[in-house]
Amino acid sequence: MAAIELEGLTKDFGAVLANDDVTFDVERGEIFGYLGPNGAGKTTTIRTLLGFLSPTAGTARLLGHDVTDEGELLEAKRKLGYLPDSPAFDETATGREIIDLHGSIKGDERSDELLELFEPPLDREVRDYSRGNVQKLGLVTTFMHDPELVILDEPTSGLDPLLQQRFTEFVRDEREQGLTVFFSSHILGEVRKLCDRVGIIRNGRLVTVEPVDSLLNRSGKLVRLHATESIPIHDLEIDGVHDLAAASDAGSSADDEYVFTFTGDVNDLLAALREYRLIDLSIEEAPLEEVFMRFYGGEEEVAGGDQNDRVAASVDTTGNDVGGGDDV
């Protein structure tokens, strides 16, 4: 039995069809990334899974429990951890008081371990927290009752690079112990490091579900190169080169710098450049927006958002603080 099961999930707000016949499963022990631009429908899916929204049609199950049945949903939430995009806590309470409150509601199996790992300032009131400290506290409250399944919305937002690395290592270790993770992110490197599979949603409809390696191979790398002299464009028109442009095409005075997306074998690219003297060559992950465009075909805008996919702060029935924010 899968940890998350969606079949024909549809949410129609009237003016906007936020989820349209969305169907996929998240297997137990899997890290599944849910990707899409603002307004694509990710937050609607998450809020439906958590019981904050009722589906117009279709079904959704968490850990085998029907999310439209209040009793079954409550049973599922006992084994669930949730971190919203913008965690919201009582700003007059200290971090320690927040931890104690959550422990009294849903149990506390491992807060000491998590506090040592993420280090939120417990003696200060939440109103004095930075964005990163709020996120640290949110991570502790999400995992402290040792859930079987966690749903994370932009989990590393506000964290410094050291804490991001700690989080990545922590989630990998938890997956080895059988934890299931469902999360959305705008950071492609984070998706690459963590995910087993990813699903991409566009305008409420699921575009693809596939292994993360397959996604990244199709999406390619962003290449920037600077040579001592101009390189004829035809020498760079090899298999795997897309969106090739000289820097001068973007308004720069340089005519020996080039930027493009590359989906081929890097060895073939280096062979094509062998006769030229390079000053600099960088190859990095393509921005997530470029990944979206590979699947969306450039037909429509992939940025923005919709008022129907924005959420207000609320508190769920297990005592988790639920922040609001754009559908990201």
Side-chain angles (χ1 to χ4, degrees):
M1 179 177 60
I4 296 176
E5 302 167 85
L6 303 179
E7 184 173 352
L9 188 70
T10 299
K11 182 60 182 179
D12 190 349
F13 288 103
V16 172
L17 188 57
N19 278 175
D20 183 6
D21 195 29
V22 175
T23 300
F24 64 86
D25 292 345
V26 177
E27 300 300 325
R28 290 178 183 262
E30 177 179 32
I31 301 179
F32 187 95
Y34 198 42
L35 311 179
N38 289 345
K42 299 189 305 300
T43 294
T44 295
T45 304
I46 290 173
R47 287 178 63 78
T48 303
L49 282 171
L50 294 171
F52 302 142
L53 296 173
S54 298
T56 305
T59 61
R61 299 177 70 84
L62 287 177
L63 301 172
H65 298 282
D66 184 347
V67 302
T68 63
D69 182 292
E70 185 175 353
E72 289 199 38
L73 179 61
L74 183 59
E75 183 63 29
K77 284 186 175 181
R78 292 192 175 100
K79 306 172 186 178
L80 173 72
Y82 172 51
L83 181 69
D85 173 41
S86 298
F89 301 106
D90 180 355
E91 294 193 345
T92 65
T94 65
R96 172 58 67 187
E97 290 170 335
I98 296 295
I99 296 297
D100 290 344
L101 173 63
H102 279 253
S104 69
I105 294 172
K106 59 189 180 184
D108 182 359
E109 302 294 328
R110 55 190 309 191
S111 67
D112 289 344
E113 168 199 354
L114 294 163
L115 289 169
E116 183 176 349
L117 181 65
F118 295 116
E119 301 179 321
L122 295 182
D123 295 330
R124 289 161 50 189
E125 293 183 345
V126 172
R127 62 186 168 194
D128 296 325
Y129 275 25
S130 66
R131 175 71 178 88
N133 281 332
V134 170
Q135 198 73 4
K136 294 175 189 177
L137 187 62
L139 287 170
V140 175
T141 59
T142 298
F143 289 93
M144 63 185 289
H145 57 300
D146 203 20
E148 293 182 20
L149 166 68
V150 293
I151 297 176
L152 309 172
D153 199 349
E154 298 289 343
T156 62
S157 177
L159 299 182
D160 63 41
L162 176 60
L163 264 297
Q164 290 179 19
Q165 182 62 32
R166 286 186 193 176
F167 169 79
T168 298
E169 293 173 355
F170 170 74
V171 171
R172 283 174 176 166
D173 289 343
E174 292 298 298
R175 189 259 306 275
E176 293 302 313
Q177 301 301 316
L179 178 71
T180 305
V181 181
F182 178 83
F183 84 101
S184 68
S185 175
H186 271 149
I187 305 173
L188 189 56
E190 185 173 75
V191 172
R192 175 178 54 80
K193 292 175 183 176
L194 284 174
C195 290
D196 300 301
R197 290 189 303 150
V198 293
I200 293 182
I201 187 171
R202 170 198 186 188
N203 293 334
R205 293 189 64 86
L206 197 66
V207 177
T208 187
V209 174
E210 60 185 282
V212 67
D213 288 344
S214 175
L215 171 74
L216 295 177
N217 287 339
R218 286 208 279 156
S219 302
K221 305 285 187 180
L222 181 64
V223 177
R224 302 176 187 274
L225 69 87
H226 184 190
T228 58
E229 59 181 313
S230 296
I231 301 175
I233 290 294
H234 61 78
D235 282 356
L236 292 173
E237 292 176 340
I238 63 175
D239 288 344
V241 171
H242 308 274
D243 310 318
L244 174 63
S248 56
D249 293 338
S252 169
S253 60
D255 56 7
D256 50 10
E257 297 180 25
Y258 306 85
V259 180
F260 52 89
T261 301
F262 187 64
T263 58
D265 188 326
V266 173
N267 291 317
D268 293 340
L269 175 62
L270 295 177
L273 298 171
R274 186 176 301 149
E275 64 181 276
Y276 298 99
R277 184 176 180 83
L278 303 182
I279 298 173
D280 185 48
L281 172 67
S282 67
I283 302 175
E284 59 192 57
E285 298 284 5
L288 198 52
E289 290 77 8
E290 293 293 330
V291 175
F292 294 153
M293 292 302 289
R294 288 274 170 250
F295 287 95
Y296 296 169
E299 297 174 4
E300 301 179 22
E301 291 293 327
V302 299
D306 192 279
Q307 184 174 354
N308 286 294
D309 240 2
R310 302 177 187 274
V311 296
S314 60
V315 180
D316 75 16
T317 55
T318 63
N320 286 322
D321 296 295
V322 179
D326 291 348
D327 176 10
V328 292

